[in-house]
Amino acid sequence: VTNGGKTTLAEKLKKMLPNCDVISQDDFFKPESEVETDERGFKLYDVLDALYMDEMVKSIRNWMKSPASSGVVTEEPQNACNNLKNTEDVYILIVEGFLLYNYEPLNELWNRRYFLTLPYEECKKRRSTRVYQPADTPGYFDGHVWPMYVKYKNELEENASNVVYLDGTKSQEELLSCVYSDIIQELKKLRE
């Protein structure tokens, strides 16, 4: 969901996990001139066609081929604990974005999937505090952003499995703790 805390969570995890890097879907938006406009004049940014998804997949696959040469920081993470011992050879890539699980070529790549949710009112409130380029036009949230979120969330619920749904109204600390603990469990499985 827009303004659910995806980027914040990803960046905090990156600081806490060893050999961790982040790829953000926001870095793959097409320029405004290439984004479709609907009959109401809304730029359709909340659809897969507004993004260079093939380039994103290519970036992820390139990282996976050679994570050690990707520039990932291999220093000791903040708050390192005993759970992270013997993980020098494990590299973690966090891919964050709002339309990741609805793009089929990516679905074979995930080890873990998390989906942040927000109720309508909270999402609208958070969105209203952000500045976008181009700026949201009046009615854009209700006319495009929220309906696209609902559409893609419904598709995800129908077609995807093994998705951990996270309540985006919880504190950043709670969300971080939950996802971090889950990743540590996953790392332990990899070591076994």
Side-chain angles (χ1 to χ4, degrees):
V1 68
T2 183
N3 295 279
K6 300 175 298 295
T7 305
T8 301
L9 179 60
E11 290 301 326
K12 287 183 178 203
L13 286 165
K14 180 180 177 179
K15 291 177 182 173
M16 294 176 69
L17 294 165
N19 305 328
C20 186
D21 209 351
V22 174
I23 291 179
S24 175
Q25 191 175 34
D26 285 351
D27 295 335
F28 296 89
F29 270 109
K30 292 177 179 176
E32 184 179 359
S33 62
E34 292 182 37
V35 175
E36 265 187 67
T37 303
D38 73 4
E39 66 282 352
R40 298 166 294 184
F42 293 147
K43 283 287 188 181
L44 303 179
Y45 280 103
D46 290 65
V47 298
L48 286 166
D49 287 343
L51 298 145
Y52 293 117
M53 292 303 294
D54 291 343
E55 290 298 315
M56 184 176 190
V57 172
K58 189 170 144 187
S59 292
I60 293 167
R61 290 191 183 281
N62 285 341
W63 187 96
M64 291 170 72
K65 283 181 204 163
S66 185
S69 64
S70 68
V72 65
V73 178
T74 56
E75 65 194 37
E76 193 71 18
Q78 294 175 6
N79 308 322
C81 63
N82 291 334
N83 292 325
L84 297 175
K85 300 299 180 218
N86 305 319
T87 57
E88 308 79 39
D89 56 342
V90 175
Y91 290 85
I92 300 167
L93 178 63
I94 297 171
V95 181
E96 68 92 7
F98 67 109
L99 288 175
L100 300 174
Y101 309 140
N102 302 84
Y103 191 67
E104 194 57 39
L106 286 174
N107 285 330
E108 65 195 51
L109 303 178
W110 312 127
N111 292 86
R112 305 296 292 151
R113 298 198 276 186
Y114 305 97
F115 190 92
L116 282 154
T117 63
L118 281 177
Y120 168 84
E121 288 298 333
E122 179 64 19
C123 187
K124 188 171 185 173
K125 183 177 99 182
R126 289 185 189 185
R127 178 86 182 200
S128 71
T129 66
R130 298 275 297 274
V131 177
Y132 290 92
Q133 282 303 334
D136 282 357
T137 56
Y140 187 68
F141 181 84
D142 288 319
H144 175 64
V145 175
W146 188 257
M148 289 298 96
Y149 163 68
V150 171
K151 174 186 184 279
Y152 286 115
K153 183 175 183 271
N154 288 340
E155 282 180 17
L156 175 66
E157 290 168 344
E158 288 174 21
N159 302 318
S161 58
N162 300 322
V163 176
V164 177
Y165 290 88
L166 301 169
D167 179 352
T169 63
K170 290 192 174 177
S171 72
Q172 290 179 6
E173 293 75 26
E174 281 180 273
L175 292 169
L176 181 62
S177 176
C178 173
V179 176
Y180 178 79
S181 297
D182 192 54
I183 292 171
I184 295 303
Q185 292 305 311
E186 194 70 14
L187 288 172
K188 284 181 184 175
K189 287 182 204 170
L190 284 172
R191 284 195 310 244
E192 292 172 356

